[in-house]
Amino acid sequence: MSMNNPRTIDHLVLPVADINVARSRYEELGFTVAPDGLHPFGTENCCIFFKDGTFLEPLGIAQRETCEEKALKGNTFVANDLKYRFRRGVEGFSHLVLKSDDAAADHKFYRQQGMSGGRPVRFGRRFETPDGKKGRVAFKLSFAADARSPDTDFFSCEVVDPPQVDRSALMAHDNGVVSLREVIASEVNPTDFQYFLQSFLNQREMDVDSFSMSFQTNNTTVTVMTPDGLQAYYGMAESEAERGMKFVAFVLAVSDMDAVESRLSAHNIDHYTRHHRLIVPPAEGQGTTIMFEKE
């Protein structure tokens, strides 16, 4: 695989305790949330789509017995989700996902690099648009992992025969969000994970300083910061005792920062400002920190 073409981020998986609470929380934050989607292996989601082609996937448990059964039978996606909820709690930020044109080739590459995260998963599910249009979509997922980071998981996602659906209404958000700008993880020594991220993101070039390591993908930035860096830059308290990467925040670009701050204040949503970013700490239905900055 040539390292001259960095990969493209597709979406973020955000475990939640209750999909209805998550929907209410994200709507309160000013997002347009898609109708619920039910997976055949017991999980459900309510996605939030952006104009840059990325999206957020709040992920809930619809049928626990089904999830546990599928995990025991080798479904990597569900096994990862259950592992995360057991180790980190029922809400958070568990997966970073790449777009893929060939998930099978990705799986082969991950195996060759010694970074396979488990058996690929292929599945289909029904969907419904806000205007009532219904259809079916299928996916192929290939997983990568670094065993030193049991609380972060990675996969590539190939959409099989993508449905021709107009999502423009779902991409119009009252808070003015237009794109995913950055993904932030925490780790005591970020460069310990340099080679894994270089391979997964297909990007050798990186920016390194005493607080962080960053990679520019085709559409966003992936940054790993030390706990000291997170405290100094964003006032976020992360443990220095735990090793391994942990996803702790993501940054969204907005068209009007004043409008975002007005909405947060009007809804009494806890927030503060650091380094020209509006920061919303985790809350019920929102298991990770969200940052907003001007596009």
Side-chain angles (χ1 to χ4, degrees):
M1 183 182 294
S2 171
M3 286 290 181
N4 297 322
N5 187 23
R7 299 293 294 264
T8 299
I9 303 301
D10 187 62
H11 70 278
L12 315 179
V13 180
L14 310 170
V16 298
D18 185 307
I19 206 75
N20 295 316
V21 173
R23 174 182 293 278
S24 296
R25 173 64 176 180
Y26 280 96
E27 288 177 344
E28 188 177 44
L29 287 165
F31 294 99
T32 300
V33 184
D36 293 356
L38 183 64
H39 297 139
F41 32 75
T43 52
E44 60 184 347
N45 64 24
C46 60
C47 296
I48 300 158
F49 298 95
F50 304 128
K51 293 178 181 177
D52 66 342
T54 63
F55 66 97
L56 309 178
E57 183 184 9
L59 184 75
I61 301 291
Q63 300 161 334
R64 175 161 292 280
E65 295 81 3
T66 302
C67 288
E68 292 174 350
E69 175 190 352
K70 296 299 184 181
L72 287 172
K73 291 182 177 179
N75 185 301
T76 306
F77 179 81
V78 181
N80 285 347
D81 182 63
L82 294 177
K83 174 194 67 174
Y84 183 92
R85 292 172 191 270
F86 178 81
R87 289 179 53 83
R88 306 302 303 181
V90 293
E91 298 201 318
F93 176 0
S94 59
H95 288 77
L96 177 63
V97 187
L98 302 178
K99 292 185 185 296
S100 179
D101 294 324
D102 191 340
D106 289 338
H107 177 62
K108 181 178 180 181
F109 174 74
Y110 299 153
R111 291 188 64 184
Q112 290 172 340
Q113 297 298 310
M115 53 188 279
S116 173
R119 290 167 51 182
V121 172
R122 177 170 182 165
F123 71 98
R125 69 169 179 85
R126 298 186 182 279
F127 70 87
E128 181 176 353
T129 63
D131 60 3
K133 183 178 180 180
K134 298 179 180 181
R136 186 172 179 83
V137 62
F139 305 90
K140 294 179 181 179
L141 315 180
S142 292
F143 298 84
D146 187 317
R148 300 170 300 169
S149 284
D151 299 324
T152 53
D153 288 294
F154 305 80
F155 66 87
S156 69
C157 178
E158 176 185 355
V159 183
V160 183
D161 297 325
Q164 300 303 308
V165 177
D166 182 4
R167 285 189 174 143
S168 56
L170 291 173
M171 296 177 186
H173 303 286
D174 289 345
N175 56 22
V177 171
V178 295
S179 64
L180 175 65
R181 180 64 59 85
E182 186 175 4
V183 172
I184 301 175
S186 172
E187 156 57 25
V188 174
N189 188 8
T191 55
D192 281 353
F193 297 89
Q194 168 186 342
Y195 299 113
F196 172 81
L197 288 174
Q198 283 177 325
S199 295
F200 181 69
L201 300 173
N202 201 40
Q203 170 62 286
R204 292 231 180 266
E205 295 183 10
M206 61 182 188
D207 293 323
V208 180
D209 59 33
S210 58
F211 282 139
S212 66
M213 170 181 69
S214 292
F215 298 88
Q216 184 61 48
T217 72
N218 188 45
N219 61 338
T220 191
T221 302
V222 176
T223 299
V224 185
M225 298 189 74
T226 65
D228 285 345
L230 287 165
Q231 179 65 53
Y233 276 82
Y234 303 121
M236 296 172 60
E238 292 294 327
S239 172
E240 295 187 17
E242 293 184 272
R243 294 302 310 272
M245 291 183 290
K246 290 170 285 293
F247 296 125
V248 296
F250 56 87
V251 184
L252 302 173
V254 301
S255 56
D256 187 341
M257 288 288 282
D258 290 337
V260 175
E261 185 160 26
S262 295
R263 183 178 185 92
L264 296 177
S265 297
H267 288 79
N268 296 314
I269 295 173
D270 185 25
H271 65 283
Y272 59 96
T273 302
R274 291 283 181 91
H275 292 277
H276 308 291
R277 288 177 170 177
L278 279 173
I279 301 174
V280 180
E284 188 177 10
Q286 174 208 323
T288 193
T289 297
I290 301 177
M291 304 185 189
F292 300 91
E293 71 175 15
K294 186 73 171 65
E295 66 174 323

